[in-house]
Amino acid sequence: MESITIHPTMPNNKDHKLHIAMLPWLAFGHMIPYLELAKLIAGKGHRISFISTPRNIDRLPPLPPNLSTLITFVKLPLPQNANLPEGAEATSDLPEDEVAHLKIAYDSLHQPITQFLTSSKPDWILFDFAPYWLPEIAQNLGIPTAFYSIMLAAVLSFAGPTSPEVPPDDRKLPEDYTVQPKWVPFPATVAWRLFEVLRLDKRITGDEKNASDKYRFIETLRGCDLIAVRSCAEFEQEWLSLLEVLHGKPVLPVGLLPPTPQDDNENVMWPSIKDWLDRQGKNTVVYVAFGTEAMPNQEEVTEIALGLEKSGLPFFWVLRTKQGSDAVKLPEGFEERNEGRGVVCRSWAPQLKILTHDSVGVFLSHSGWSSVVEVLTFGKPLVLLPMSNDQGLNARLFGEKKVGYELPRDERDGSFTSEVVAESLRMVIEKEEGKAYREKSKELKPLFGDRNRQDLYVDKFLDYLTVLTTNQRRRSI
C-alpha cells in the first residue's frame, strides 16, 4: 500500500483527520456512488482506502489531481471460481442469472480483507450490503462500521426490521411482497409488483450455496454500528426516521451526491449530439437510457421502439445490448423511418450534458437512483420503466412524489405495449395531466442541484464519525 500524505492545498478546518476504508459491492452502480462520496470526503482532507478488485479499479474514472494523494486504491484479486468467465469482476461482465457466482467469489475475499484491515487499522469502514460478514471482522479488530447504502431509505425500510422492538418480518409468499409492510406506519405504495417479485425470487430466497440478497441486507443492517444513506431529509424524512426505529441505531443521510459537471471537451461525440439537440424544439426530446447494466429484452426493445415512433416526438436513445447471438434488434426499418427525428446511440453517451440541454423534455428511465438524481438536478420529469433490483421500489416512491410517471404494465409478466409507451411519453411531456410531473421536477431542481446544501450533509456525517472516533480513542488511553 502506498504511503499517503495530506495535500497542502486541502481544507484543514478540523485538527483530526480520519482514515476511512470503503468496500463497495462489485457493480459500477455501487462503486461510482462510493467513489463520489470518497472524493467529497477526501476533499475535506481525510484519507480513503478504496477497496475493490484490480480490473474494476482500472475501469473507474481518474481521480482529480488534488485528491490523488488522499485516495488509495487497494486492489484485492478475486479468488478463482470455475463458474466465472476470465476477467469477470463486476456484475456488468455477467448475465444477470450468473451474478450469484460473483457473490460467492466475493465472499472469498473475507481473508484478504481481514489482513488488510489488520495492517492498515482505519478509523472507520464504510461497506455495502454484500459483505454481510464484515461487521464481525471489524468488531474483532475494534474498528467501527457504517453501512453506506446507495439505495433510498424507503428501499431499505422494505427489507425488514432487525430491532427486537419491532415485530419480525413474516413474509413468505411472493404476494406478501406486493403490499405495504406492516412495520410502515404511514400510507405508502412502496412495494413490488408481482412480476418483479417473481423475477427476484432467487435473490430473496437464496440457495444452499449462496446467501440471499435479503439475508445479506438484514445481516448488514443488524451488524453495522450506523447506517449512512445516499439521501436527504428534504426528500424522504419519514423513511429516514423509520429506519432508525426499525434497526435501533443512528441513520445519517450523506446527501444526494449530485453529479460533477463535465468538461465540454472531454467527449468527442458531444459536438454532433449538441448540434442535433440544438435543432429540436424546447422541451420536446425524449431521452431514453437504462443505466450501465439494465438491458431490455427483445420484446421490450421492440415495444419501446414502436412506442417512440408512435409518439411522434423526437428522441435520443442510448441503447446498450448484449453481443453475439443474444443481441436484441430494432424493428426492421425503424432507424430509416425515423431518420432525423430520432437518434439511436449504441455506445456511451454524455448523459449529464444531454440532460442539461433545453430541448430535453422527459427522461425514459429504469428508475435507478443515480440516474434520477442526475435528471432532477436539471429539473426534468421522468417516465419510469423499472427493470430489476430496487428499481421497482424506487418507481413507486417517485410516483408518490410526482417526479415520475410509471409506465403501466401487466402485473404478472411485466409486459407493456407500444401504445402505452407513446401515451405515457406524450402525457408527461405535453398534456395537462402531465403538468404535475413537469412542475414537481422543476420544484425539486433547487434541492437536487444545490451542491452547497448537499455538501453540508457530508460535513455533518464526518463530524459524527470524528466525534465517535475521538471519544473511542480517549476511552482507550
Side-chain angles (χ1 to χ4, degrees), residues 21-64:
M22 285 189 165
L23 182 62
W25 165 232
L26 306 180
F28 284 95
H30 289 242
M31 288 182 276
I32 296 299
Y34 265 73
L35 185 59
E36 285 301 310
L37 182 58
K39 289 191 289 187
L40 289 173
I41 292 173
K44 299 175 189 300
H46 303 278
R47 295 189 295 131
I48 300 290
S49 293
F50 192 97
I51 307 167
S52 192
T53 63
R55 186 162 181 251
N56 287 336
I57 286 174
D58 291 343
R59 289 183 285 181
L60 290 172
L63 293 174

Side-chain angles (χ1 to χ4, degrees), residues 283-287 355 358-365 371-372 374-384 398 402-405 424-430 434-445:
N283 296 327
T284 61
V285 173
V286 178
Y287 176 60
L355 290 173
D358 287 343
S359 67
V360 175
V362 70
F363 183 14
L364 176 56
S365 165
S371 292
V372 172
E374 290 183 4
V375 72
L376 292 181
T377 297
F378 306 114
K380 314 279 188 178
L382 294 126
V383 170
L384 303 169
F398 302 147
K402 294 294 183 185
V403 297
Y405 174 75
S424 300
L425 294 171
R426 285 197 300 263
M427 185 271 282
V428 172
I429 207 167
E430 63 188 17
K435 187 176 180 181
Y437 300 98
R438 299 192 295 271
E439 289 185 345
K440 189 64 176 180
S441 299
K442 289 177 183 175
E443 180 187 322
L444 287 174
K445 181 178 178 180

Side-chain angles (χ1 to χ4, degrees), residues 247-408:
H247 304 292
K249 60 188 61 176
V251 174
L252 280 72
V254 297
L256 300 169
L257 307 186
T260 304
Q262 295 175 313
D263 182 357
D264 282 345
N265 298 319
E266 71 176 13
N267 183 255
V268 295
M269 296 171 58
W270 175 239
S272 61
I273 294 172
K274 183 178 183 301
D275 179 66
W276 183 84
L277 292 170
D278 287 344
R279 288 184 270 114
Q280 313 308 315
K282 186 175 182 180
N283 296 327
T284 61
V285 173
V286 178
Y287 176 60
V288 186
F290 300 111
T292 56
E293 297 182 34
M295 294 187 188
N297 60 33
Q298 181 62 67
E299 182 181 353
E300 291 167 339
V301 164
T302 298
E303 297 303 320
I304 292 168
L306 296 177
L308 289 168
E309 188 168 8
K310 291 174 182 177
S311 75
L313 297 165
F315 62 87
F316 190 101
W317 186 358
V318 182
L319 178 60
R320 295 183 68 255
T321 62
K322 296 175 183 176
Q323 303 298 315
S325 59
D326 293 332
V328 298
K329 297 178 176 60
L330 291 168
E332 187 174 353
F334 171 77
E335 290 182 87
E336 292 77 9
R337 292 193 303 272
N338 292 280
E339 188 174 358
R341 181 169 72 84
V343 174
V344 178
C345 175
R346 289 180 170 81
S347 61
W348 180 88
Q351 180 160 295
L352 290 183
K353 295 183 186 302
I354 293 170
L355 290 173
T356 61
H357 201 281
D358 287 343
S359 67
V360 175
V362 70
F363 183 14
L364 176 56
S365 165
H366 62 312
S367 311
W369 184 212
S370 290
S371 292
V372 172
V373 169
E374 290 183 4
V375 72
L376 292 181
T377 297
F378 306 114
K380 314 279 188 178
L382 294 126
V383 170
L384 303 169
L385 184 61
M387 298 279 177
S388 63
N389 300 328
D390 60 324
Q391 295 159 15
L393 302 178
N394 290 346
R396 312 295 110 76
L397 183 68
F398 302 147
E400 280 183 18
K401 294 183 177 294
K402 294 294 183 185
V403 297
Y405 174 75
E406 188 172 354
L407 195 141

Side-chain angles (χ1 to χ4, degrees), residues 158 178-181 184 186-193 239 392-393 395-401 406:
F158 192 78
T178 65
V179 295
Q180 177 175 324
V184 179
F186 45 81
T189 62
V190 178
W192 276 317
R193 302 279 191 252
W239 292 102
L393 302 178
R396 312 295 110 76
L397 183 68
F398 302 147
E400 280 183 18
K401 294 183 177 294
E406 188 172 354

Side-chain angles (χ1 to χ4, degrees), residues 218-235:
I218 290 299
E219 290 306 303
T220 291
L221 288 160
R222 191 193 314 278
C224 67
D225 294 302
L226 66 88
I227 301 165
V229 185
R230 184 190 183 181
S231 188
C232 66
E234 296 90 337
F235 190 70

